[in-house]
Amino acid sequence: NAGVTQTPKFRVLKTGQSMTLLCAQDMNHEYMYWYRQDPGMGLRLIHYSVGEGTTAKGEVPDGYNVSRLKKQNFLLGLESAAPSQTSVYFCASSYSQGAVITEAFFGQGTRLTVV
Amino acid sequence: KQEVTQIPAALSVPEGENLVLNCSFTDSAIYNLQWFRQDPGKGLTSLLLIQSSQREQTSGRLNASLDKSSGRSTLYIAASQPGDSATYLCAVRQGIYTDKLIFGTGTRLQVFP
């Protein structure tokens, strides 16, 4: 049972370059999230999705775009990377029991450095 | 705006001690609270989930309590071991249909032999 898998695990980008982070979950969860984790600031929500074909902005969405074309995949894009986007990125997914959202499961993270 | 605080930020204890980690939140209207463990350079592992209607949850040597009215949760670790060394995070979900978790900044725990 793979759970939530993030690709790649590490990446170094030059300022202005673009890239896409991939998150895949095999638990048939409806909800998926992208967070960033920075020292002293905890985890902050970037974007999230409540189902295939839907996306919504979180707390810190600027500079990022997302897509959820398939239920199992949630992609996070950086169109023009900036040093301020140096961070560790985590993907998570949740399931619902009826209409109630319950436990969140996290991937192992992607460490991104923008130079 | 909901704010989640964890105190202390860091804790170092000898093996075998029982210890308590604290999590407080400013808005008591939460739906559930989840405790996570994060090892250095790793992702988050879910430890315990407490629904707002519950007072506590237990898993092995871990016990989490929730007092919604006072905006507090505690994670109790019994007979600590060096393998418990990690950062512990708490996160609250605001409502039944709310998709977002709001995280504290964590308590970094070191258990030395």
Side-chain angles (χ1 to χ4, degrees), chain A residues 31 33 35 37 40-43 45 48 50 59 90 94 99-104 106-108 111, chain B residues 1 31-32 34 36 38 41-44 46 49 51 89 93 96-101 103-105:
Chain A
Y31 306 94
Y33 318 82
Y35 289 87
Q37 185 177 37
M41 302 192 73
L43 278 86
L45 183 66
Y48 64 102
V50 302
E59 184 183 358
F90 288 101
S94 296
V100 174
I101 304 167
T102 57
E103 189 175 7
F106 280 75
Q108 292 300 297
R111 186 173 299 275
Chain B
K1 179 185 175 183
Y31 179 68
N32 61 37
Q34 197 167 353
F36 295 89
Q38 184 176 26
K42 303 292 185 181
L44 280 68
S46 179
L49 173 71
Q51 303 292 349
L89 298 161
R93 194 181 298 282
I96 295 177
Y97 307 110
T98 298
D99 313 295
K100 300 176 281 291
L101 285 171
F103 281 84
T105 52

Side-chain angles (χ1 to χ4, degrees), chain A residues 46-60:
Chain A
I46 305 171
H47 286 280
Y48 64 102
S49 169
V50 302
E52 181 179 324
T54 74
T55 63
K57 294 181 180 180
E59 184 183 358
V60 287

Side-chain angles (χ1 to χ4, degrees), chain B residues 100-113:
Chain B
K100 300 176 281 291
L101 285 171
I102 302 170
F103 281 84
T105 52
T107 293
R108 190 171 65 253
L109 172 66
Q110 181 181 14
V111 181
F112 54 90

Side-chain angles (χ1 to χ4, degrees), chain A residues 5 16 19 22 31 33 41 50 69 72-73 87 95 108 114:
Chain A
T5 303
M19 77 163 295
L22 171 64
Y31 306 94
Y33 318 82
M41 302 192 73
V50 302
L69 299 179
Q72 64 267 34
N73 295 335
S87 186
Y95 63 97
Q108 292 300 297
V114 183

Side-chain angles (χ1 to χ4, degrees), chain B residues 9-113:
Chain B
L11 185 61
S12 183
V13 300
E15 181 176 8
E17 276 202 6
N18 301 322
L19 49 97
V20 174
L21 307 181
N22 297 296
C23 172
S24 61
F25 44 94
T26 55
D27 184 349
S28 62
I30 66 168
Y31 179 68
N32 61 37
L33 184 146
Q34 197 167 353
W35 281 94
F36 295 89
R37 168 186 173 136
Q38 184 176 26
D39 293 286
K42 303 292 185 181
L44 280 68
T45 301
S46 179
L47 297 174
L48 290 164
L49 173 71
I50 310 178
Q51 303 292 349
S52 62
S53 59
Q54 298 174 320
R55 294 300 298 265
E56 64 179 281
Q57 282 283 354
T58 299
S59 176
R61 293 183 295 107
L62 304 179
N63 175 278
S65 66
L66 175 64
D67 184 344
K68 247 182 52 167
S69 60
S70 66
R72 292 181 185 175
S73 176
T74 60
L75 179 66
Y76 176 82
I77 303 176
S80 58
Q81 303 170 357
D84 294 329
S85 299
T87 296
Y88 291 81
L89 298 161
C90 70
V92 301
R93 194 181 298 282
Q94 283 296 113
I96 295 177
Y97 307 110
T98 298
D99 313 295
K100 300 176 281 291
L101 285 171
I102 302 170
F103 281 84
T105 52
T107 293
R108 190 171 65 253
L109 172 66
Q110 181 181 14
V111 181
F112 54 90

